[in-house]
Amino acid sequence: MKHKKLLIELIDYLDAFESVHEGARYEPDIKDFADFLLWRSEKKKQEEERVTVEQRRAASAKDTARGISLLHRYSRFYIKKALADSPLQTEDEYTYLVCLMGGESMTKTELNNLNAMEKTSGAEVMRRLLKANLIQQRPDEEDRRSMRVSITPEGRKVLLNLFPNLRLCADTLVSALSDEQLIAFDHLLWLLCERHNEIFTDKHDVDLRELHTEARNLKLSEAQPSSFPRRP
């Protein structure tokens, strides 16, 4: 038989059609079967489109993650040049100082969380800044087990001297973008930073699969003002 495969497929559809109408109060006719075939066809098309969308999203997510990783390396490349004649050795030392530039002291934990830094690595950054007299520390008045850190006049002076070159770094990094593209990129970037800072701070020890499920289920609301503090 020339169309045997089609006939077998049609029989399978008829089987499914009868299951759907089992116990019906009326006898389904050919029009009902045609409507059923149309519904199944639309459903199959939607499922295929959903799979395609998910595949495209997965590919885009992978490319975005790699792009962000590369962008961070390019940023470090430029910042290293800006720090060449300063007492700062790394980008992390700069970002820690910048977070304290507003004048308010922070606990070491707050400063580590703001910079998405592990406790041990953050302690090493602060140790170098303390040794260079760029920050100072004192016991927290409310919790004597905790230490608060603040920027020193020398640290403020170092930053002010660095700002012109660091502005050059920032401008160089985004120079390929138009004004409109830069605004859109900045908005999306900080939506991501806000979400991931929440995960890093509140769910640090949660399993990766659980974090992934939660991150996919929770949607960022543009209507809500960002609570994540941007670095100056």
Side-chain angles (χ1 to χ4, degrees):
M1 185 180 291
K2 187 176 180 181
H3 299 296
K4 184 177 180 180
K5 184 179 178 182
L6 177 61
L7 181 59
I8 292 173
E9 189 175 353
L10 193 59
I11 291 172
D12 288 338
Y13 277 128
L14 185 58
D15 223 17
F17 175 71
E18 288 181 344
S19 297
V20 169
H21 287 82
E22 188 175 354
R25 296 180 179 179
Y26 66 94
E27 185 70 23
D29 56 21
I30 190 66
K31 182 180 182 303
D32 294 322
F33 185 53
D35 289 340
F36 173 78
L37 289 178
L38 181 61
W39 172 76
R40 284 293 296 262
S41 176
E42 288 296 324
K43 184 179 178 183
K44 184 178 179 181
K45 181 180 178 182
Q46 289 172 3
E47 288 175 351
E48 290 173 348
E49 289 176 348
R50 178 181 59 79
V51 171
T52 302
V53 168
E54 289 178 353
Q55 290 173 340
R56 283 201 300 264
R57 181 180 176 86
S60 294
K62 182 180 70 174
D63 290 344
T64 299
R66 172 162 170 73
I68 291 174
S69 178
L70 285 172
L71 198 62
H72 181 231
R73 292 175 189 175
Y74 298 142
S75 175
R76 285 190 303 179
F77 168 73
Y78 296 130
I79 289 177
K80 184 177 179 181
K81 292 181 178 295
L83 301 181
D85 298 322
S86 82
L88 300 182
Q89 302 174 33
T90 66
E91 174 190 2
D92 294 327
E93 293 173 16
Y94 156 68
T95 59
Y96 269 61
L97 271 187
V98 167
C99 289
L100 296 168
M101 188 64 172
E104 295 292 329
S105 64
M106 294 185 185
T107 66
K108 290 184 176 182
T109 299
E110 289 171 340
L111 196 52
N112 284 336
N113 287 341
L114 191 57
N115 285 277
M117 187 75 79
E118 299 289 346
K119 182 178 180 180
T120 304
S121 301
E124 178 59 25
V125 172
M126 286 182 273
R127 185 192 65 78
R128 293 197 299 266
L129 292 174
L130 284 166
K131 186 176 179 180
N133 193 36
L134 301 179
I135 63 172
Q136 56 193 359
Q137 64 180 8
R138 60 177 173 79
D140 191 327
E141 294 179 1
E142 297 181 2
D143 182 1
R144 306 298 290 184
R145 297 169 299 177
S146 178
M147 299 295 289
R148 300 191 72 86
V149 292
S150 57
I151 193 169
T152 63
E154 180 62 23
R156 192 178 298 276
K157 179 181 177 183
V158 166
L159 273 186
L160 289 174
N161 288 336
L162 278 174
F163 279 158
N165 278 345
L166 289 168
R167 290 191 187 99
L168 286 178
C169 289
D171 189 59
T172 302
L173 193 65
V174 299
S175 58
L177 301 179
S178 67
D179 291 346
E180 292 78 11
Q181 289 171 332
L182 181 57
I183 290 171
F185 179 70
D186 178 69
H187 175 70
L188 295 174
L189 184 64
W190 283 96
L191 282 178
L192 285 174
C193 285
E194 178 180 6
R195 178 64 185 128
H196 291 298
N197 183 262
E198 177 187 333
I199 291 175
F200 182 85
T201 304
D202 300 333
K203 300 175 176 62
H204 197 278
D205 299 321
V206 175
D207 176 79
L208 176 60
R209 290 187 180 277
E210 187 177 338
L211 288 178
H212 174 262
T213 300
E214 182 174 335
R216 288 296 301 270
N217 289 338
L218 291 177
K219 302 297 183 183
L220 290 167
S221 173
E222 296 183 22
Q224 295 294 328
S226 173
S227 59
F228 183 72
R230 299 192 180 198
R231 294 170 182 164

